[in-house]
Amino acid sequence: MYHNRLKQFPEEFLFGAATSAFQVEGAADVDGRGIAVHDIQPKKKGITDFSVASDHYHHYQEDIALMKELGLKAYRLSLSWVRIMPDGKTINPAGIDFYKKLLDEVTANGMEPIVTIYHFEYPQALVGRYGGWASREAIDDFERFAEVLFENFGDKVKYWLTINEQDHLLKIPSRLGISEEIEGKDYLKLAEQMNYHMCVATARVIKLCHELLPHAQIGPVINPMYAIPNSNRPEDTLAAMEFNELSTYYITELHCRGRFAPLHWKYMEDRDILPEIESEDMELMRNNTPDFLGMNYYLNQTVATNKKEQFSYHEKTVFIQEEPGIYEITTNDNITQTDWGWNICPEGMKLAIMDFYNRYQLPILVTENGLGAYDVLENNQVEDDYRIEYIHNHLSQIKDCLGLGYPVLGYCAWSFIDLVSGREGMDKRYGFVYVNRDNEELKDMRRIKKKSFYWYQTIINERGESL
Ligand code: BG6
C-alpha cells in the first residue's frame, strides 16, 4: 500500500471547518425568519431544539475572529432558506443583509467561504403548498432560491454546494416534511421521486451558476459510507459493491453522467417504484455536471450478502440495515466505533476518494468529517485527544491521496464550533470550540478553545508536515 510521499499539503489546500445554519445560528424567530421543517419536528426527550443553538447569529463576529485565530483557510457554512425567503418564495431583506455582513466578515478575515445552498433547512410553507420535493414545483423554487443567492452573494463566493446529503434526507422523512404515516412501498416510491427531483434541481442550479458566475465552482455534497466485504467470499464483495451502488452511486450517476445506475433502475423496477421522468431531464443532467464532488465522510460499513429470497418493502428507518436478497450490514472486529456506534475507519475515506475520482475524474472537496463525542469541560478546558486522533488519521489518508495524485481541494472538519447535532442535541459535540450550554440550560454561551483547536492550528500552520 502506498503512503505519504508529500512533505506538506499543497499551498492552496483549503484547510477548513464547517457548520450549518440551523444547527449553529439560533435566532429562530428573529428578523422575519420563516418556519423550516425541523422547527416543527418532534424532538427526542431531553434533547434541545434548534431555536437558540450556538447563537452564532448574535456571536458571528466573535466566532469568525476565532476562525481566524485557528488559521482556517476556508469556512463552510449554509445559508438559511427561511431567513432569506421565509415562505420559500418571497425575499426577506433582513435575511440578505445578515448574510452579506457574515460573508464580508469571513472574507475580510482572509477565509474562503464555501457555501451550501440547502443543508436540510427546507421551508415548511412549500411542504404545505405542494408537498415540497414530492412535486416538480420544488425544482423551480430551489432554482429561484439559488438565483437569489447567486445575485446577492455571487461576488463574495467562489465555491458553492447544492444539496447537502440528499441520500440522508431520504432516510429521515421528517426532514422532508413527510408524514410518518406514509410507509413501505408508498414511502419508497415517494423517496425515489423526491430523489429524482433533487437531481434535476441540482442540474438546473449548476447550469444557472455556470451562466451567472463563470468563475465560480459548484458541486453536490454526497455522503458515502464506503462498504467493504464481510469476508473473502466473492459473494460478500458483490454485496459490498451493490451496497455502494444503492447507497451512493445511485445519486452520483445522475449528477455526473445523467443516467440511472443499472442496479438502481432494476431495484426500482422490481419494486414498482420508478419515478416519473420528463424526457429533457436526462439531457439537462448530462450537460450540466458538477465541477467537483463535495464529500461528507464519517463512517464506513462492512457488508455481507443477504440470502433471503424475497425482497420486502422496508419501513422507513434512519438507516437501512438490510436489503433482503441483496446485502446486510455486519460488525467488523477490526474497526472501532464512536459512542454512537459509527465505525471509525479512516481508510474508508481514502477508498471513497480514490473510487470517486476513478469513476468521475472530478476533484474532491471533503466538506465534513469529524468525531461526535461527550466532551467534558473541566477547569475551563476540554482535553479532546480522541478528536485529535480521529482527525489526524483522516487527514493522513487525504495526504496519501494527494501524494498518489488524487486531487483533493480541501478538508472541512465538522464542526468549527459545537452546535446542535441533528439527532442528539448538545450531547454529541463536534467542535474545536466548546460552547458553554447544554440541552437543559443555556448558561453563558461562552466560547472555550478545546485542545483540538490548538492542535489543528499547528497542523494548518505547518501544512500538515507532521501527519
Ligand atoms: C451530516 C450532516 O449528516 O452529519 C450534519 O450534514 C450533521 O448536519 C453531521 O450534524 C453529524 O450528524 P449528527 O447526527 O451526529 O449530528
Side-chain angles (χ1 to χ4, degrees):
M1 209 170 56
Y2 273 116
H3 276 301
N4 302 352
R5 289 172 305 153
L6 288 182
K7 188 168 176 291
Q8 291 179 306
F9 282 67
E11 183 106 46
E12 63 284 2
F13 186 81
L14 296 169
F15 281 103
T19 62
S20 89
F22 78 106
Q23 292 174 277
V24 76
E25 283 177 7
D29 52 7
V30 169
D31 293 338
R33 179 183 176 278
I35 295 175
V37 284
H38 58 80
D39 291 325
I40 53 173
Q41 259 173 41
K43 294 299 293 178
K44 267 171 62 179
K45 202 161 173 274
I47 294 297
T48 181
D49 62 19
F50 299 98
S51 57
V52 179
S54 309
D55 201 23
H56 178 65
Y57 193 82
H58 296 112
H59 289 251
Y60 77 90
Q61 285 164 315
E62 178 187 351
D63 292 344
I64 291 170
L66 283 165
M67 289 175 204
K68 187 178 181 190
E69 185 183 337
L70 178 55
L72 293 187
K73 308 281 179 224
Y75 171 43
R76 175 187 175 217
L77 68 159
S78 72
L79 307 187
S80 162
W81 194 335
V82 289
R83 224 180 258 299
I84 292 173
M85 297 164 109
D87 62 356
K89 286 180 176 283
T90 323
I91 295 179
N92 170 30
I96 303 272
D97 285 353
F98 171 67
Y99 288 117
K100 277 198 172 146
K101 282 190 287 180
L102 180 65
L103 288 166
D104 282 343
E105 193 77 13
V106 172
T107 51
N109 282 283
M111 285 169 277
E112 190 73 56
I114 300 174
V115 170
T116 319
I117 297 174
Y118 166 33
H119 191 127
F120 300 166
E121 198 172 21
Y122 197 74
Q124 179 60 31
L126 300 183
V127 176
R129 217 183 252 246
Y130 50 68
W133 287 107
S135 160
R136 268 190 88 91
E137 277 188 61
I139 300 174
D140 297 332
D141 283 330
F142 183 59
E143 190 181 17
R144 175 66 191 133
F145 174 48
E147 186 179 33
V148 169
L149 303 193
F150 296 154
E151 283 168 357
N152 284 281
F153 313 117
D155 58 335
K156 305 180 200 302
V157 180
K158 184 168 153 212
Y159 294 99
W160 293 91
L161 302 164
T162 53
I163 300 180
N164 183 68
E165 293 187 0
Q166 188 172 314
D167 66 308
H168 182 96
L169 275 168
L170 302 172
K171 287 175 200 148
I172 306 184
S174 55
R175 290 216 163 131
L176 294 159
I178 298 176
S179 153
E180 292 295 327
E181 275 148 37
I182 306 179
E183 289 194 340
K185 181 177 173 184
D186 292 342
Y187 178 68
L188 286 187
K189 192 166 172 56
L190 189 60
E192 293 293 351
Q193 190 66 59
M194 291 179 146
N195 182 58
Y196 179 73
H197 287 155
M198 287 191 226
C199 287
V200 178
T202 297
R204 285 247 212 113
V205 167
I206 290 175
K207 180 171 191 283
L208 188 70
C209 181
H210 289 157
E211 282 164 6
L212 297 181
L213 308 172
H215 302 298
Q217 294 192 39
I218 185 161
V221 179
I222 49 179
N223 174 37
M225 298 191 202
Y226 199 90
I228 55 174
N230 184 55
S231 74
N232 59 6
R233 287 198 303 263
E235 63 200 38
D236 285 347
T237 301
L238 279 169
M241 187 183 138
E242 290 174 2
F243 173 93
N244 292 329
E245 285 292 311
L246 293 176
S247 67
T248 303
Y249 296 124
Y250 76 110
I251 297 178
T252 50
E253 284 298 295
L254 285 161
H255 284 332
C256 302
R257 293 194 175 130
R259 63 163 205 167
F260 285 93
L263 193 73
H264 179 213
W265 186 263
K266 185 76 184 119
Y267 172 92
M268 294 190 293
E269 213 171 40
D270 286 351
R271 286 156 182 73
D272 189 25
I273 53 171
L274 286 168
E276 279 170 34
I277 293 169
E278 293 198 0
S279 53
E280 66 273 17
D281 294 343
M282 298 321 256
E283 201 186 334
L284 174 88
M285 287 189 266
R286 266 195 302 279
N287 293 335
N288 296 282
T289 53
D291 301 309
F292 62 86
L293 289 172
M295 190 179 103
N296 292 353
Y297 176 82
Y298 290 88
L299 65 150
N300 77 336
Q301 298 293 356
T302 303
V303 162
T305 192
N306 180 290
K307 298 219 162 104
K308 287 186 188 148
E309 289 193 356
Q310 287 288 312
F311 74 78
S312 55
Y313 295 111
H314 50 74
E315 291 184 5
K316 43 182 193 266
T317 50
V318 165
F319 189 73
I320 317 288
Q321 290 289 332
E322 171 192 56
E323 276 290 352
I326 311 177
Y327 68 77
E328 63 197 35
I329 289 173
T330 60
T331 50
N332 185 330
D333 295 342
N334 299 305
I335 293 178
T336 55
Q337 296 193 325
T338 70
D339 290 339
W340 282 269
W342 291 14
N343 288 347
I344 302 180
C345 181
E347 295 83 355
M349 172 178 256
K350 183 171 171 185
L351 275 168
I353 291 173
M354 291 173 76
D355 210 36
F356 276 118
Y357 186 71
N358 288 341
R359 267 185 186 239
Y360 303 119
Q361 291 79 53
L362 289 173
I364 310 294
L365 175 60
V366 177
T367 37
E368 283 180 39
N369 171 248
L371 181 69
Y374 293 103
D375 288 342
V376 180
L377 180 67
E378 229 167 32
N379 303 326
N380 217 27
Q381 284 176 345
V382 179
E383 302 274 336
D384 55 345
D385 295 280
Y386 37 87
R387 180 165 296 110
I388 294 174
E389 184 186 351
Y390 180 100
I391 298 180
H392 176 287
N393 292 344
H394 286 79
L395 267 171
S396 295
Q397 296 293 334
I398 296 178
K399 199 174 173 191
D400 264 7
C401 289
L402 286 163
L404 295 172
Y406 289 83
V408 184
L409 303 173
Y411 171 87
C412 298
W414 185 266
S415 51
F416 166 66
I417 192 167
D418 287 347
L419 37 70
V420 182
S421 147
R423 279 156 284 167
E424 313 298 339
M426 291 304 295
D427 283 343
K428 195 179 187 187
R429 293 175 185 259
Y430 283 91
F432 293 116
V433 177
Y434 186 89
V435 176
N436 195 31
R437 63 156 292 185
D438 56 28
N439 280 312
E440 290 78 35
E441 240 190 295
L442 291 178
K443 302 187 185 169
D444 58 7
M445 305 293 272
R446 199 155 36 97
R447 275 58 176 148
I448 300 151
K449 291 169 249 173
K450 300 181 194 176
K451 189 171 177 186
S452 57
F453 181 98
Y454 299 103
W455 171 81
Y456 195 39
Q457 189 179 48
T458 306
I459 292 293
I460 298 174
N461 196 30
E462 58 160 38
R463 295 218 318 270
E465 191 165 342
S466 60
L467 291 169

